[in-house]
Amino acid sequence: MTDKTTQVVTRFAPSPTGYLHIGGARTALFNWLYARHTGGKFLIRIEDTDRERSTPAAVDAIFEGLDWLGLKGDGEVVFQHSREQNHKDAVTALLKAGRAYACFMTAEETDAAREEARAAGHALRSSWRDRTPTAEQLQQPHVVRFKGPLDEPLLIGDAVQGEVRFNTKDLDDLVLLRSDGTPTYNLAVVVDDHDMGVTHIIRGDDHLNNAARQSLIYTALGWDVPKFAHIPLIHGPDGAKLSKRHGAQAVGDYAELGYLPEAMRNYLARLGWSHGDDEIFSDEQAIGWFDVADINRAPSRLDFAKLGSVNAHWIRECESERLLGLVTGALRHRGQTHVDAPETQEVLRRTLPLVKERAQTLVQLADLVQFALIERPFGLDEKTKGLMTEETVARLKRLHETLSAWGDWSMEGSDMVLKNFLENEGIGMGKVGPVLRGILSGGHPAPDISKVFTSLGQAETLARLDTAVFL
Ligand code: GLU
């Protein structure tokens, strides 16, 4: 589908619904990738003609989702509502060209005409289709309908769906302007896409029928029809249409669940598009590889296990100060207000590299650092208490002594001091590991003991041992 002669212009055209849906996010991503791949432009248009639903908050929610995902549009955002005059001008042109007509049917007449059309085996036609209203009649309330071909084959070439065949007898004379003078969706989309110079329309396949209607309007206006690519919707893990019962729907929910934007981009790109067997790839790779021709024709299924493993990869890759900031944010979000203190930041700085391998999300990572953040004094759990025999307490006191004299709390140093201690005591890790883990972690999940030493540092390790052994 790559066209070298003209610059590719794609667009994402969401109707503000209050949040950026995961399916919309993927549509935006595909448009962004294709524009980047071809060196073209990616435009954003907010389809805010439904004034009641298009509140500033609903519009902001879309931008918030796109910003978080890192999908920036090129150039000014277009607000569909502000282009109403352009939509009306197009209708004037269609009326002049005899490709639209004023229709004065009442609701009852329209119902009757629809019945009649159904019986005759075609879509709705108005009795006003071939009539010329008088100037006086035109003062009366009326809609303006499109005057399409009555019974002709119509072929839509779609980069994903292939050649899709329609017949214009199944496409009604759709309303272009309502009786209050406002433009309808199919008209506005055509006029805006044309005026914005859109060359490729990549969107959900729920719009495939609209593509047929829209292509007729383009042709009637004497405009080139853009290339279409209708992508199958995302389904839930069970294969059913994605719905609330499958879990997170909004991009913001995924942010809150602790997924990284780059992981979402990677996972969503892979959802319905593939490049060989590659599962993990950078933005640069995706941009280099992405072609609309490789979008799958079958619906894709959301797979949380796969998303988790992709996210785990990007957590491991995450630059350490950025990861620190993200985990700090996740901790703050759960109400841990002391996390910004410089000492706590230092603890996190030491701990994150030791535990990040085990996390699939930032939320899990926030759990995995808890052992290092808990404040003394904290009690021992029953299991640990049960392990505190006289022999063990004596051994822990000797460990306390060894650790007090030890200076190297790096990972190698911690490994070394522990290894030496076990050798001197003539015991294996199994003898002292569980009790030590209980004492040092307060029952929270914790990594290997030597990592716990490095994470806590000398003062805190000794203090935790003190509380358990000497008090
Ligand atoms: N505004 C439409 C929607 O949110 C999309 C229109 C289009 O992409 O042509 O479903």
Side-chain angles (χ1 to χ4, degrees):
M1 186 160 171
T2 309
D3 186 342
K4 302 269 183 234
T5 50
T6 45
Q7 189 189 40
V8 165
V9 179
T10 65
R11 53 42 159 203
F12 176 52
S15 312
T17 50
Y19 61 94
L20 178 58
H21 188 270
I22 187 84
R26 186 191 55 164
T27 300
L29 177 67
F30 281 10
N31 279 284
W32 180 82
L33 282 172
Y34 192 58
R36 292 288 170 274
H37 174 75
T38 54
K41 274 203 266 182
F42 167 63
L43 305 179
I44 295 170
R45 178 173 72 239
I46 300 292
E47 305 217 311
D48 55 352
T49 48
D50 182 340
R51 300 309 290 155
E52 253 165 53
R53 293 188 86 184
S54 305
T55 60
V59 173
D60 282 351
I62 301 279
F63 289 126
E64 230 171 78
L66 288 173
D67 283 351
W68 180 80
L69 254 190
L71 302 182
K72 265 193 97 50
D74 301 311
E76 294 273 301
V77 173
V78 172
F79 289 87
Q80 187 158 65
H81 177 65
S82 71
R83 296 186 29 83
E84 200 171 296
Q85 192 53 49
N86 303 66
H87 308 149
K88 289 179 176 169
D89 290 347
V91 174
T92 307
L94 286 169
L95 282 165
K96 239 186 228 154
R99 303 306 308 272
Y101 60 93
C103 167
F104 300 82
M105 285 198 298
T106 62
E108 294 76 48
E109 286 169 343
T110 309
D111 284 345
R114 190 167 285 120
E115 271 313 305
E116 208 175 291
R118 190 172 303 144
H122 57 74
L124 174 71
R125 310 284 173 226
S126 162
S127 55
W128 288 90
R129 188 177 161 102
D130 295 312
R131 285 158 75 177
T132 313
T134 61
E136 206 172 300
Q137 275 170 324
L138 282 172
Q139 300 306 312
Q140 302 304 312
H142 62 276
V143 299
V144 177
R145 287 185 184 275
F146 181 64
K147 190 172 181 178
L150 285 174
D151 186 356
E152 283 178 15
L154 175 66
L155 192 71
I156 300 293
D158 189 280
V160 177
Q161 311 288 335
E163 295 198 331
V164 189
R165 282 164 206 286
F166 294 87
N167 190 299
T168 58
K169 76 175 164 38
D170 302 318
L171 305 173
D172 61 3
D173 284 0
L174 64 98
V175 173
L176 301 173
L177 284 186
R178 300 185 188 91
S179 55
D180 64 0
T182 56
T184 55
Y185 161 74
N186 276 303
L187 168 75
V189 167
V190 167
V191 176
D192 291 347
D193 281 336
H194 172 263
D195 291 356
M196 289 162 71
V198 172
T199 59
H200 292 73
I201 294 181
I202 307 170
R203 62 184 172 192
D205 67 6
D206 48 335
H207 285 288
L208 190 56
N209 273 316
N210 286 330
R213 299 164 185 285
Q214 291 167 8
S215 79
L216 292 176
I217 303 177
Y218 277 104
T219 312
L221 283 162
W223 296 341
D224 287 341
V225 184
K227 296 198 166 64
F228 290 113
H230 286 91
I231 50 183
L233 301 184
I234 301 175
H235 285 189
D238 57 359
K241 205 171 160 231
L242 193 61
S243 72
K244 284 215 169 64
R245 80 191 152 83
H246 291 117
Q249 297 275 294
V251 163
D253 293 342
Y254 286 87
E256 242 175 66
L257 288 167
Y259 295 99
L260 297 182
E262 60 267 44
M264 283 313 277
R265 287 197 297 274
N266 182 161
Y267 179 71
L268 285 178
R270 187 61 192 76
L271 200 57
W273 167 80
S274 48
H275 178 267
D277 292 331
D278 292 297
E279 296 289 350
I280 303 281
F281 40 79
S282 64
D283 290 334
E284 289 68 33
Q285 286 172 312
I287 289 169
W289 296 335
F290 190 85
D291 195 338
V292 177
D294 298 322
I295 295 176
N296 304 335
R297 218 188 270 199
S300 44
R301 292 185 186 199
L302 208 55
D303 178 343
F304 284 96
K306 208 179 248 181
L307 172 59
S309 73
V310 171
N311 202 47
H313 170 87
W314 290 106
I315 286 178
R316 288 195 296 273
E317 290 290 307
C318 188
E319 191 273 319
S320 46
E321 280 302 298
R322 178 173 162 237
L323 190 62
L324 172 67
L326 290 168
V327 173
T328 305
L331 291 165
R332 220 184 285 124
H333 190 70
R334 60 166 77 178
Q336 293 183 248
T337 47
H338 60 279
V339 288
D340 292 292
E343 320 75 82
T344 314
Q345 288 284 294
E346 264 321 301
V347 174
L348 287 173
R349 220 173 245 121
R350 285 198 304 271
T351 310
L352 283 172
L354 307 171
V355 298
K356 67 176 183 183
E357 299 282 328
R358 291 162 58 207
Q360 288 211 327
T361 65
L362 295 174
V363 171
Q364 286 175 8
L365 200 43
D367 286 336
L368 290 174
V369 297
Q370 288 305 319
F371 81 92
L373 300 182
I374 47 171
E375 280 176 42
R376 277 175 290 108
F378 49 82
L380 297 182
D381 58 57
E382 289 309 311
K383 194 176 138 235
T384 309
K385 273 189 202 156
L387 295 170
M388 298 285 275
T389 60
E390 228 172 89
E391 188 197 3
T392 301
V393 171
R395 181 168 285 137
L396 290 172
K397 285 185 177 169
R398 290 194 292 280
L399 176 63
H400 189 280
E401 218 169 287
T402 308
L403 294 179
S404 304
W406 187 255
D408 178 6
W409 288 73
S410 68
M411 264 310 296
E412 296 74 36
S414 296
D415 270 339
M416 177 97 66
V417 70
L418 194 60
K419 200 164 148 259
N420 290 348
F421 177 75
L422 295 175
E423 262 173 33
N424 287 343
E425 294 280 318
I427 55 167
M429 192 59 185
K431 264 272 187 247
V432 74
V435 70
L436 206 45
R437 172 181 291 274
I439 289 170
L440 296 179
S441 70
H444 289 277
D448 298 343
I449 300 294
S450 52
K451 288 184 177 169
V452 174
F453 284 172
T454 302
S455 156
L456 299 179
Q458 186 176 34
E460 182 65 18
T461 303
L462 289 175
R464 288 188 185 190
L465 266 177
D466 268 344
T467 351
V469 175
F470 296 105
L471 295 185

